[in-house]
Amino acid sequence: MAEPFITEDSDHPACGICPSLRLPRDAFVVYDRPSRECPFNPADGHRYTSDGTPACVHPDKIGVEPDRIAPPPERVVVEQEPPRKRWALFRSR
């Protein structure tokens, strides 16, 4: 099993029910505050999104930016073709 995002030797003051204490970073989403998008589940004491992804609602306590995406987004590099020169289009006729 993967290492939790926040471990005992960390200095982040995470809440006792925070998913960062039991899950790796790519297994939960982070909201900027409690909302209807990640309601509290009284059955187990945790917050989840509508698709069942665990949610943290105190990003300042775990030292990350709110992202609402699990895993955090990766930078995507899109390679584009170089623009064709207009005169090349007329040559092929």
Side-chain angles (χ1 to χ4, degrees):
M1 189 168 156
E3 185 79 17
F5 181 68
I6 303 292
T7 59
E8 291 179 12
D9 56 332
S10 175
D11 62 347
H12 294 291
C15 301
I17 62 168
C18 186
S20 66
L21 297 172
R22 57 189 168 86
L23 300 171
R25 178 59 197 97
D26 62 353
F28 64 93
V29 295
V30 181
Y31 284 81
D32 54 346
R33 64 178 184 264
S35 76
R36 291 181 180 177
E37 294 177 31
C38 57
F40 179 77
N41 181 349
D44 66 1
H46 298 286
R47 290 183 178 274
Y48 298 96
T49 62
S50 61
D51 67 355
T53 304
C56 169
V57 294
H58 298 112
D60 54 322
K61 290 185 177 184
I62 63 170
V64 299
E65 293 293 319
D67 61 20
R68 299 184 186 196
I69 299 172
E74 293 181 13
R75 186 178 181 142
V76 176
V77 178
V78 178
E79 293 184 28
Q80 296 179 348
E81 282 187 36
R84 293 177 51 171
K85 295 184 180 179
R86 183 172 225 139
W87 59 269
L89 294 174
F90 292 109
R91 257 187 173 179
S92 60
R93 289 185 180 182

